[in-house]
Amino acid sequence: ENAALFVQDTLDLGERTALTLSPNGRLLVYVANNPLVRSPAGTPQLYRRAMDELEARPILGTEGAAGPFFSSDGQWIGFVAAGALRKVSVAGGPPMTVCEASPVTRGASWAPDGTIVFAPAQANELQRVPAAGGKPRPLTTLDTRAGEQAHLWPDVLPGGTAVLFTIKTAEALDEALIAVMPLDGEEKHRVLVRGGTHARYAASGHIVYARGGGLLAVPFDLERLEIRGASLP
């Protein structure tokens, strides 16, 4: 029930991501209000919980965090807070700033080569920045003639050669497009699915995405970056 509520909340709000699972599936990191902070709604911060344990522990220095995501090796947690894209080691220690970024996150993904692809609220295209720190650079370009308004919720594919993302159009959110683009920038993005958001690649060889409050999966050829069948609930 909680998972279903999270999916619906994400779809309704459109821009807020509340949890992330480590690449090995052993660690859950999520945003929750700290009841010890005296404020009307509490102060959100990151919590971590091992999947084989019941107790969750706060991650110090992550007050105000939103949009958590793991590095591809599972050793770092990225998030947005206090007007910056930040990272904190799973092993502990203070968070570090990667670059300035809007407090509203619209998705981020960490490539194996140490590049972070993210969708800042102050720009409509995806941007990329070294995880070690630096100045963000544009990665995608809107096709305004095709009605594209924003590129959102990136997911770097295994191997780090391409990225999935959602294209927001003038239509309703459920009529958004799911696209793929090589990270070398030599090819323009291509639309894979018409009608879907929040696409993620699954190790089963499928793209899993949201539509109408539910989840669908479609077979995907990772080498050719092509859909290989029909979508199923």
Side-chain angles (χ1 to χ4, degrees):
E1 179 180 1
N2 288 338
L5 287 173
F6 161 70
V7 171
Q8 187 62 49
D9 180 61
T10 301
L11 290 175
D12 288 345
L13 294 173
E15 295 182 344
R16 191 160 58 189
T17 303
L19 57 83
T20 184
L21 192 65
S22 63
N24 62 13
R26 297 178 181 176
L27 187 64
L28 178 70
V29 171
Y30 60 92
V31 179
N33 286 341
N34 187 342
L36 300 180
V37 176
R38 296 178 180 273
S39 66
T43 297
Q45 70 177 104
L46 296 183
Y47 287 77
R48 54 175 287 172
R49 183 175 77 86
M51 297 301 287
D52 59 354
E53 298 178 359
L54 295 178
E55 182 182 358
R57 298 177 176 84
I59 301 177
L60 300 180
T62 62
E63 291 78 9
F69 60 99
F70 272 95
S71 61
S72 59
D73 61 7
Q75 298 304 303
W76 293 87
I77 303 163
F79 62 98
V80 176
L85 182 64
R86 302 178 184 274
K87 64 179 183 179
V88 62
S89 173
V90 171
M96 293 179 277
T97 296
V98 176
C99 66
E100 294 183 0
S102 167
V104 178
T105 177
R106 303 197 292 185
S109 186
W110 198 312
D113 67 355
T115 299
I116 294 176
V117 178
F118 69 110
Q122 70 267 30
N124 291 325
E125 301 89 0
L126 297 183
Q127 298 191 10
R128 64 194 303 170
V129 65
K135 184 177 181 179
R137 295 185 292 112
L139 175 63
T140 61
T141 302
L142 290 180
D143 186 349
T144 54
R145 292 181 297 178
E148 297 182 6
Q149 295 183 347
H151 295 164
L152 312 168
W153 305 303
D155 182 44
V156 175
L157 292 170
T161 59
V163 59
L164 291 174
F165 60 94
T166 298
I167 299 176
K168 182 181 181 297
T169 65
E171 304 295 332
L173 185 60
D174 276 341
E175 300 305 318
L177 311 174
I178 294 171
V180 66
M181 192 186 83
L183 282 174
D184 59 15
E186 295 182 0
E187 297 180 34
K188 185 180 181 294
H189 61 269
R190 293 186 289 110
V191 174
L192 299 173
V193 176
R194 295 185 178 275
T197 65
H198 297 77
R200 293 291 181 267
Y201 179 79
S204 61
H206 293 78
I207 292 175
V208 179
Y209 61 96
R211 188 167 194 260
L215 293 176
L216 292 89
V218 61
F220 182 67
D221 187 322
L222 189 59
E223 292 186 3
R224 294 181 177 271
L225 302 180
E226 297 175 350
I227 295 297
R228 290 298 191 184
S231 297
L232 296 172

PDB file of all heavy atoms in Angstrom, residues 7-20:
ATOM      1  N   VAL A   7       3.847   5.865  -5.648  1.00  0.00           N
ATOM      2  CA  VAL A   7       3.747   6.000  -7.097  1.00  0.00           C
ATOM      3  C   VAL A   7       2.705   7.047  -7.467  1.00  0.00           C
ATOM      4  O   VAL A   7       2.923   7.918  -8.290  1.00  0.00           O
ATOM      5  CB  VAL A   7       3.401   4.633  -7.734  1.00  0.00           C
ATOM      6  CG1 VAL A   7       3.088   4.818  -9.211  1.00  0.00           C
ATOM      7  CG2 VAL A   7       4.563   3.671  -7.571  1.00  0.00           C
ATOM      8  N   GLN A   8       1.549   6.996  -6.812  1.00  0.00           N
ATOM      9  CA  GLN A   8       0.495   7.960  -7.123  1.00  0.00           C
ATOM     10  C   GLN A   8       0.929   9.374  -6.756  1.00  0.00           C
ATOM     11  O   GLN A   8       0.687  10.316  -7.497  1.00  0.00           O
ATOM     12  CB  GLN A   8      -0.784   7.601  -6.361  1.00  0.00           C
ATOM     13  CG  GLN A   8      -1.980   8.457  -6.749  1.00  0.00           C
ATOM     14  CD  GLN A   8      -2.347   8.274  -8.208  1.00  0.00           C
ATOM     15  OE1 GLN A   8      -2.475   7.158  -8.684  1.00  0.00           O
ATOM     16  NE2 GLN A   8      -2.507   9.371  -8.932  1.00  0.00           N
ATOM     17  N   ASP A   9       1.607   9.528  -5.628  1.00  0.00           N
ATOM     18  CA  ASP A   9       2.073  10.850  -5.207  1.00  0.00           C
ATOM     19  C   ASP A   9       3.060  11.412  -6.218  1.00  0.00           C
ATOM     20  O   ASP A   9       3.015  12.579  -6.574  1.00  0.00           O
ATOM     21  CB  ASP A   9       2.729  10.747  -3.820  1.00  0.00           C
ATOM     22  CG  ASP A   9       3.243  12.085  -3.329  1.00  0.00           C
ATOM     23  OD1 ASP A   9       2.428  13.005  -3.170  1.00  0.00           O
ATOM     24  OD2 ASP A   9       4.451  12.202  -3.121  1.00  0.00           O
ATOM     25  N   THR A  10       3.953  10.566  -6.710  1.00  0.00           N
ATOM     26  CA  THR A  10       4.935  11.027  -7.679  1.00  0.00           C
ATOM     27  C   THR A  10       4.263  11.479  -8.967  1.00  0.00           C
ATOM     28  O   THR A  10       4.610  12.497  -9.540  1.00  0.00           O
ATOM     29  CB  THR A  10       5.940   9.891  -7.981  1.00  0.00           C
ATOM     30  OG1 THR A  10       6.578   9.514  -6.763  1.00  0.00           O
ATOM     31  CG2 THR A  10       6.985  10.345  -8.972  1.00  0.00           C
ATOM     32  N   LEU A  11       3.261  10.725  -9.412  1.00  0.00           N
ATOM     33  CA  LEU A  11       2.599  11.083 -10.659  1.00  0.00           C
ATOM     34  C   LEU A  11       1.804  12.373 -10.506  1.00  0.00           C
ATOM     35  O   LEU A  11       1.775  13.203 -11.395  1.00  0.00           O
ATOM     36  CB  LEU A  11       1.667   9.943 -11.082  1.00  0.00           C
ATOM     37  CG  LEU A  11       2.367   8.665 -11.543  1.00  0.00           C
ATOM     38  CD1 LEU A  11       1.328   7.586 -11.811  1.00  0.00           C
ATOM     39  CD2 LEU A  11       3.180   8.906 -12.792  1.00  0.00           C
ATOM     40  N   ASP A  12       1.149  12.544  -9.353  1.00  0.00           N
ATOM     41  CA  ASP A  12       0.334  13.733  -9.161  1.00  0.00           C
ATOM     42  C   ASP A  12       1.190  14.990  -9.077  1.00  0.00           C
ATOM     43  O   ASP A  12       0.870  16.018  -9.641  1.00  0.00           O
ATOM     44  CB  ASP A  12      -0.511  13.598  -7.884  1.00  0.00           C
ATOM     45  CG  ASP A  12      -1.626  12.584  -8.059  1.00  0.00           C
ATOM     46  OD1 ASP A  12      -1.917  12.224  -9.219  1.00  0.00           O
ATOM     47  OD2 ASP A  12      -2.186  12.134  -7.048  1.00  0.00           O
ATOM     48  N   LEU A  13       2.298  14.899  -8.344  1.00  0.00           N
ATOM     49  CA  LEU A  13       3.123  16.081  -8.140  1.00  0.00           C
ATOM     50  C   LEU A  13       4.049  16.338  -9.331  1.00  0.00           C
ATOM     51  O   LEU A  13       4.481  17.452  -9.556  1.00  0.00           O
ATOM     52  CB  LEU A  13       3.945  15.927  -6.857  1.00  0.00           C
ATOM     53  CG  LEU A  13       3.109  15.885  -5.579  1.00  0.00           C
ATOM     54  CD1 LEU A  13       3.994  15.567  -4.391  1.00  0.00           C
ATOM     55  CD2 LEU A  13       2.369  17.188  -5.354  1.00  0.00           C
ATOM     56  N   GLY A  14       4.364  15.284 -10.055  1.00  0.00           N
ATOM     57  CA  GLY A  14       5.094  15.459 -11.295  1.00  0.00           C
ATOM     58  C   GLY A  14       6.589  15.644 -11.154  1.00  0.00           C
ATOM     59  O   GLY A  14       7.326  15.225 -12.014  1.00  0.00           O
ATOM     60  N   GLU A  15       7.070  16.243 -10.080  1.00  0.00           N
ATOM     61  CA  GLU A  15       8.486  16.583 -10.026  1.00  0.00           C
ATOM     62  C   GLU A  15       9.206  16.016  -8.809  1.00  0.00           C
ATOM     63  O   GLU A  15      10.412  16.133  -8.714  1.00  0.00           O
ATOM     64  CB  GLU A  15       8.647  18.106 -10.034  1.00  0.00           C
ATOM     65  CG  GLU A  15       8.170  18.751 -11.321  1.00  0.00           C
ATOM     66  CD  GLU A  15       8.395  20.242 -11.320  1.00  0.00           C
ATOM     67  OE1 GLU A  15       8.627  20.798 -10.238  1.00  0.00           O
ATOM     68  OE2 GLU A  15       8.330  20.846 -12.394  1.00  0.00           O
ATOM     69  N   ARG A  16       8.506  15.414  -7.880  1.00  0.00           N
ATOM     70  CA  ARG A  16       9.137  15.053  -6.621  1.00  0.00           C
ATOM     71  C   ARG A  16       9.432  13.557  -6.557  1.00  0.00           C
ATOM     72  O   ARG A  16       8.560  12.731  -6.779  1.00  0.00           O
ATOM     73  CB  ARG A  16       8.224  15.465  -5.466  1.00  0.00           C
ATOM     74  CG  ARG A  16       8.891  15.371  -4.110  1.00  0.00           C
ATOM     75  CD  ARG A  16       8.163  16.203  -3.103  1.00  0.00           C
ATOM     76  NE  ARG A  16       6.773  15.836  -2.962  1.00  0.00           N
ATOM     77  CZ  ARG A  16       5.901  16.533  -2.256  1.00  0.00           C
ATOM     78  NH1 ARG A  16       6.278  17.636  -1.650  1.00  0.00           N
ATOM     79  NH2 ARG A  16       4.648  16.149  -2.155  1.00  0.00           N
ATOM     80  N   THR A  17      10.681  13.206  -6.264  1.00  0.00           N
ATOM     81  CA  THR A  17      11.075  11.824  -6.077  1.00  0.00           C
ATOM     82  C   THR A  17      11.388  11.608  -4.604  1.00  0.00           C
ATOM     83  O   THR A  17      12.121  12.380  -4.002  1.00  0.00           O
ATOM     84  CB  THR A  17      12.318  11.492  -6.918  1.00  0.00           C
ATOM     85  OG1 THR A  17      12.029  11.780  -8.288  1.00  0.00           O
ATOM     86  CG2 THR A  17      12.680  10.032  -6.794  1.00  0.00           C
ATOM     87  N   ALA A  18      10.835  10.545  -4.029  1.00  0.00           N
ATOM     88  CA  ALA A  18      10.906  10.393  -2.576  1.00  0.00           C
ATOM     89  C   ALA A  18      11.815   9.269  -2.111  1.00  0.00           C
ATOM     90  O   ALA A  18      12.157   9.220  -0.935  1.00  0.00           O
ATOM     91  CB  ALA A  18       9.500  10.180  -2.013  1.00  0.00           C
ATOM     92  N   LEU A  19      12.202   8.349  -2.976  1.00  0.00           N
ATOM     93  CA  LEU A  19      13.021   7.234  -2.508  1.00  0.00           C
ATOM     94  C   LEU A  19      13.869   6.685  -3.637  1.00  0.00           C
ATOM     95  O   LEU A  19      13.613   6.924  -4.816  1.00  0.00           O
ATOM     96  CB  LEU A  19      12.152   6.128  -1.901  1.00  0.00           C
ATOM     97  CG  LEU A  19      11.055   5.499  -2.749  1.00  0.00           C
ATOM     98  CD1 LEU A  19      11.602   4.407  -3.643  1.00  0.00           C
ATOM     99  CD2 LEU A  19       9.962   4.922  -1.847  1.00  0.00           C
ATOM    100  N   THR A  20      14.894   5.928  -3.254  1.00  0.00           N
ATOM    101  CA  THR A  20      15.769   5.284  -4.225  1.00  0.00           C
ATOM    102  C   THR A  20      16.340   4.013  -3.607  1.00  0.00           C
ATOM    103  O   THR A  20      16.518   3.927  -2.387  1.00  0.00           O
ATOM    104  CB  THR A  20      16.906   6.230  -4.656  1.00  0.00           C
ATOM    105  OG1 THR A  20      17.691   5.591  -5.679  1.00  0.00           O
ATOM    106  CG2 THR A  20      17.814   6.587  -3.482  1.00  0.00           C
TER     107      THR A  20
END
